[in-house]
């Protein structure tokens, strides 16, 4: 049976993805970074400590929290 063209495959996040998220966070302007710096640091530490999924979740949360709020 052929695979549907709309099939979504999830790939487990790896350390490279953690580093990519950390780099994206680092490129944000300082005022937005201040809001979630601790969360991003914790996420990076978790990734490098072998807890990649939890680290990615924290890094994503840090990026969301650092986004400017719409008026």
């Amino acid at each position: 049976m052929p695979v549907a063209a709309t099939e979504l495959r999830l790939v487990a996040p790896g350390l490279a993805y953690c580093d990519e998220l950390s780099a994206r966070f680092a490129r944000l302007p300082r005022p937005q970074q201040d809001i979630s710096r601790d969360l991003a640091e914790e996420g990076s530490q978790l990734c490098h400590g072998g807890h990649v999924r939890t680290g990615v979740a924290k890094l994503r949360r840090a990026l969301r929290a650092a986004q400017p709020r719409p008026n």
Side-chain angles (χ1 to χ4, degrees):
M1 180 175 207
V3 176
T6 59
E7 180 180 337
L8 176 66
R9 290 191 289 166
L10 298 176
V11 177
L15 193 54
Y17 186 55
C18 286
D19 291 339
E20 178 186 333
L21 291 174
S22 293
R24 283 174 43 192
F25 183 81
R27 288 191 299 266
L28 291 174
R30 278 285 175 212
Q32 281 133 1
Q33 269 191 7
D34 291 341
I35 298 167
S36 56
R37 183 177 296 121
D38 292 339
L39 199 56
E41 286 178 17
E42 186 179 351
S44 183
Q45 288 174 357
L46 283 165
C47 284
H48 290 279
H51 302 283
V52 176
R53 294 185 77 149
T54 306
V56 163
K58 295 247 183 196
L59 285 163
R60 286 179 176 167
R61 203 173 316 148
L63 284 167
R64 276 194 311 270
Q67 297 301 315
R69 301 285 186 245
N71 293 349

